[in-house]
Each structure stands twice: as structure tokens, then as C-alpha cells.
Amino acid sequence: MDPSTDDLLTGLLRWVRIETHTPDVTGINSLMDLVTQEAEAFGATCERFPGATGYGDHLLVRSPWGDHSQPGILFLSHLDTVHPKGTIDKDLPIRIEGDACYGPGICDMKGGAYNGLAAMRTITAAIAGGAPAPALPMRILFTSDEEVGSPTSRGLIEEQAKTAKYALVTEPARNGGHIVTARKGVGRFTLRVEGRPAHAGARHWQGRSAVTELAHQVIALEAMTDYDRDITINVGQITGGSGTNVVPQHASAEIDLRVPSVAAAEEMVARITGLTPKTPDVTVTVTGGMNRPPFEKTPAITALFDHAAELAAEIGFELIDETTGGGSDANFIAAKVPTLDGLGPDGDHVHTLNEHIYISSLLPRMQLMRRLVETLD
């Protein structure tokens, strides 16, 4: 029997009360401890991967059923959040207003992460009650660094995907409950300019302004945005100069690229890394590349979505898919494994001090996860 909505919310809030800002290794590892305890309590087995380079641990939970030497269903769930420690005490306390429950990370993505473990627990209980075991084993990889680009978990994610027949990512639902079947690829670049310093009053003509050159480059970069092709470039941070009376020798910019396809990624990376100076006696250097490859909708992903939509209809809600510009860990594996993303509860205002889930979406979204595990083979 499925847990009630109240059961799911109570369990989820235990996770939310443990704050897990990405740099907060103690907080993240405390939640990993709790997840381990809850998983082992119903017979799942856990493997812990120690954190590295200042990040928290990662945790792989294997279902009590199935042969885990064989391909199975891989759930991807991150437990880190963007909210600094202390947010829950002051700026975003847990509270319920109608159907909305607020709290740091409750939507992105503790709601989906908790539901994934709840689905495994529910299936395990059903098997104990005489129900047949699913055809495929289920594994959940809980990671600690997704919000900063998954620098220590990417290799583990890709390794686990090698033994996955399907991948289900528990990021929050989009725009009223939509599921994600494609995501843009994400590129990150740093542009550095070196000019020639000079006294701004006495010898201005001898200088070569790195800031002026950077301005030319920013305009050129922003002009590469092409909405018709779903390509965007954002110069999000710039620095430069050492004082108002010095022709600036150094300047730099941080660049974000979003592209819908591998072909577009290759084209845009070449254009960005191929930038050349617009003014004489100045050097321009670009470093960086694709942080997350595009997650393109394949025929296998379409078939997996169609199956999920049928299950959702049986549960009692319509499942609609969409493409989103934000990246997730799904980007790393979708080209190799049929992948669905956005399976978590519906909510809104992620990454803000109004982050919340809709309580009424908790149970049906967990039921969809459970039914996917029970019916995929």
C-alpha cells in the first residue's frame, strides 16, 4: 500500500531540516547518514563514496530485489542546495500555506530525492506482502555537488550509467507538472584581456585599454545569441582595471552558453574560443568549454516518455513533456541511456527564498516513480 501524502511530507521535512548548502560538507554528510539509515532499515544496501576537494560524500542505494550485476533502473538525485546554512532559521523557514510547503531545497530537489527512496521502500513492502518483484533492480545515486556543476560526481554518474537500462532523474517538475525530455547543453568560459598600462592623464596615448577591448568582446559575444536557433550567450560577470587614473592592463569576463544540440555546441565553442582582438597591441585568451553536453530527445526517450504518460493517466494526471534551458545530471548520460528528468514533485521559485512544493503533487509523483520501476523491463 502506498504511503499517505502526510507520511511523505513528514519524511521529506526530516530531510529539509538538515541544511545542505553545497559547501557545507558536515550538513550534506549528516543527510547522507540519515538516508543510509532509512534505506538500510527496509533492507536496501548502501555504498558510500567519500567526498573530495571540499565536497560532501556521494551515496549509492541498491534495492533489496534484483541482481545488481545486471542492468537496472538508475535514479539520479542530488542532496545539495543553493541555500546557505542558516536560511531555514531566518529567511526561508519551513511553513505550510494552503497546498504549498516552503523550505530550503524542498523543491530542488529534496522532494524528488525523498520520493525516489519512498518508491523503493514501497515496492519492497509490496514484495514482502506477496507482490512480484520488478523485472529490473533499482539503484539511486545521491550526490552532493550538482548545484556547482557536479565536479566530483560526474565520473561516478557516468560509471553508474554503464549498468543502467533506464535513467530517471528526480529534479522538480516544470511549469505545472511537466516532465523534462530534453535540456540545453551548458558551456562555461572565461575571457581574459591583457592590454598595456599607462598614466591616464600624462601618457594616456601609450596605454592599450583592456577594458575597452573587453567591451568590444562583450558586444560580439552577446550578438551570438540566436533565439530562432535556441542559442543563448550571457556575459554574467566582468572585472577590470586597477584605478580610475590608470589605463587598465587587465580585464576579464565570465560567459555562459546554452545550446540545444551537439552540433550547435561544437559550432559555438569554436566561435567563442576563436575570438580575436578588435584593437591593436592587446591579447585575448579564452578558456573553458562545455560543462554539460546537450540532452537531446531521442526515439528511445520518446518511447520512455510515452510509457510514463500512460502510467500517469492511470494514476489520474496528465503528463506533458518539455525542453528546458537549465542543465542537470541528466545531460551527462541521456545520449547513452534512455532518460526522463523532472520526475520530482511540482513546485515553484526554486533557488529563491520563496521555494516551495505543492503538497498535492507528492503522492502522485511518487506513484509514477513506483509504477515506472514496476513496469519497465
Side-chain angles (χ1 to χ4, degrees):
M1 188 173 81
D2 285 329
S4 68
T5 295
D6 286 344
D7 291 336
L8 291 174
L9 183 60
T10 298
L12 169 58
L13 292 182
R14 283 197 300 269
W15 290 25
V16 175
R17 289 189 182 97
I18 301 175
E19 292 182 285
T20 54
H21 189 211
T22 310
D24 182 7
V25 173
T26 299
I28 287 174
N29 288 350
S30 294
L31 183 52
M32 293 290 181
D33 291 341
L34 177 60
V35 175
T36 300
Q37 293 167 10
E38 293 186 2
E40 291 180 342
F42 65 82
T45 57
C46 298
E47 182 177 1
R48 190 89 164 233
F49 300 88
T53 62
Y55 295 103
D57 295 351
H58 311 302
L59 178 69
L60 181 65
V61 178
R62 297 182 176 92
S63 63
W65 72 85
D67 180 357
H68 286 280
S69 67
Q70 300 300 314
I73 302 172
L74 175 65
F75 279 60
L76 294 180
S77 301
H78 70 83
L79 296 183
D80 62 316
T81 79
V82 301
H83 300 285
K85 185 176 177 62
T87 300
I88 199 169
D89 297 321
K90 182 180 179 182
D91 297 319
L92 184 52
I94 292 173
R95 67 187 192 277
I96 295 173
E97 297 179 0
D99 191 35
C101 184
Y102 293 77
I106 194 169
C107 190
D108 188 12
M109 61 178 285
K110 290 182 181 177
Y114 183 82
N115 262 358
L117 191 66
M120 184 184 287
R121 182 190 297 113
T122 301
I123 295 168
T124 302
I127 294 169
L136 300 175
M138 174 183 175
R139 295 183 277 273
I140 309 175
L141 181 61
F142 294 98
T143 62
S144 65
D145 60 356
E146 191 273 347
E147 293 293 2
V148 294
S150 308
T152 68
S153 61
R154 178 175 180 172
L156 185 58
I157 291 165
E158 292 173 334
E159 185 64 26
Q160 288 300 314
K162 293 178 182 177
T163 57
K165 193 169 183 181
Y166 304 97
L168 303 176
V169 184
T170 64
E171 291 281 358
R174 294 294 190 276
N175 300 320
H178 295 184
I179 204 167
V180 177
T181 52
R183 288 180 178 271
K184 289 184 179 182
V186 182
R188 295 288 167 81
F189 304 85
T190 299
L191 184 152
R192 294 182 175 87
V193 180
E194 182 167 2
R196 181 191 301 160
H199 191 289
R203 295 184 178 273
H204 187 277
W205 66 89
Q206 290 183 347
R208 299 292 183 269
S209 171
V211 168
T212 299
E213 176 62 28
L214 183 65
H216 288 302
Q217 297 295 340
V218 169
I219 292 170
L221 283 162
E222 294 282 356
M224 294 181 192
T225 290
D226 188 335
Y227 293 125
D228 290 337
R229 298 178 61 199
D230 225 12
I231 295 170
T232 60
I233 289 184
N234 185 63
V235 180
Q237 187 176 20
I238 61 173
T239 59
S242 59
T244 55
N245 60 347
V246 181
V247 176
Q249 180 180 4
H250 300 288
S252 66
E254 299 297 324
I255 304 157
D256 178 283
L257 166 70
R258 306 287 168 135
V259 288
S261 67
V262 172
E266 292 173 350
E267 174 195 340
M268 297 308 297
V269 168
R271 290 180 66 182
I272 294 170
T273 58
L275 289 170
T276 57
K278 307 294 184 183
T279 53
D281 304 322
V282 172
T283 61
V284 170
T285 305
V286 180
T287 57
M290 295 303 296
N291 170 264
R292 297 182 189 273
F295 164 6
E296 299 184 66
K297 188 177 182 180
T298 64
I301 289 172
T302 299
L304 181 57
F305 168 75
D306 290 343
H307 178 66
E310 292 177 2
L311 295 174
E314 293 173 4
I315 294 166
F317 67 98
E318 181 183 14
L319 196 64
I320 298 170
D321 69 325
E322 68 170 58
T323 298
T324 183
S328 82
D329 288 336
N331 291 65
F332 297 137
I333 62 174
K336 301 173 183 176
V337 181
T339 301
L340 292 181
D341 197 352
L343 283 160
D346 192 16
D348 207 352
H349 295 292
V350 299
H351 291 199
T352 78
L353 297 179
N354 288 310
E355 181 169 340
H356 61 272
I357 59 163
Y358 298 118
I359 299 169
S360 60
S361 71
L362 269 172
L363 181 57
R365 301 296 282 203
M366 189 283 291
Q367 290 173 325
L368 177 59
M369 293 180 185
R370 175 178 60 79
R371 292 296 294 143
L372 280 165
V373 175
E374 290 173 338
T375 58
L376 289 172
D377 56 22

